[in-house]
Amino acid sequence: MAQSDLDDLYGEKILEHCRSPRNHAKLVDADATAHTVNAFCGDESDVQISVDGGRVVGVGAQAVGCSVNQAATSMLAQAAEGALLDDLASVIDLFRRQMKGEALSEGDLARLGDLATLSSVLNFPVRIKCALLPLVALEQGLEAYRKEKA
C-alpha cells in the first residue's frame, strides 16, 4: 500500500479521534450497553448510553483494534452525546448510507460532522466493517433501551 493511500485512509480527523477519543470513560450507571466484535479482525467496540426525556444525556464508548474502529467509535459517541433519539436515528441512517457508498448532500454531510471524514474508508473495502462496528453497538444499545422502556 502506497503512503498516499495510507494518508487517504488515516486522515487528520481520524488520527485525532484515535489519539484523543471522545467520551472514552465507561458509564457505570448506563441505561443500556452493547458490545460488538468483528470476528474477521478482532476489533471490539463497547457503548454505554444514558437517556433522559428522549435525549442521550451520557455516552461512554471504548474501542480496541484498528485506528478506523477507534476513530469511528469516538465520532459516533460524540455525535450521540446530547442528541434527541429521533435525531440520532437519522444520523445513524445517514452514516450507514455513507458507508454503503451513497452520495450524500452537503447538508447531510454537515449533519454527520466528523463522521463524514470516514468516507475515505470506502477506498479500502476491508475497513468498512471496522467503521460500522461501533454503529452496530450503538444500534444494539438503543434497541435494548427501547425494549426496556416498552
Side-chain angles (χ1 to χ4, degrees):
M1 186 177 296
Q3 183 62 42
S4 64
D5 290 340
L6 287 174
D7 291 343
D8 289 344
L9 176 59
Y10 298 112
E12 181 180 324
K13 206 44 102 166
I14 290 173
L15 292 175
E16 175 190 327
H17 275 270
C18 187
R19 291 178 184 134
S20 300
R22 305 338 184 247
N23 302 77
H24 187 68
K26 189 169 188 165
L27 287 185
V28 178
D29 196 21
D31 292 311
T33 64
H35 174 79
T36 53
V37 176
N38 182 340
F40 179 72
C41 66
D43 283 0
E44 298 181 36
S45 185
D46 288 286
V47 175
Q48 309 86 43
I49 57 170
S50 294
V51 180
D52 185 25
R55 182 178 299 275
V56 177
V57 294
V59 178
Q62 304 80 39
V64 175
C66 74
S67 296
V68 171
N69 175 45
Q70 291 181 46
T73 300
S74 173
M75 290 174 184
L76 275 165
Q78 184 178 35
E81 182 75 34
L84 292 170
L85 292 178
D86 290 342
D87 292 341
L88 182 55
S90 176
V91 169
I92 287 170
D93 178 62
L94 286 173
F95 183 54
R96 186 176 296 285
R97 288 174 39 209
Q98 174 184 273
M99 293 288 77
K100 288 181 178 179
E102 278 188 45
L104 300 180
S105 70
E106 288 299 318
D108 288 343
L109 291 172
R111 287 191 65 211
L112 284 177
D114 288 352
L115 287 166
T117 63
L118 288 168
S119 65
S120 63
V121 172
L122 294 173
N123 296 320
F124 306 88
V126 73
R127 297 298 186 145
I128 294 171
K129 282 188 175 187
C130 301
L132 289 173
L133 190 65
L135 177 87
V136 172
L138 182 58
E139 287 176 321
Q140 289 176 356
L142 291 170
E143 181 65 23
Y145 172 77
R146 287 185 189 104
K147 283 183 180 179
E148 183 179 306
K149 297 301 175 185

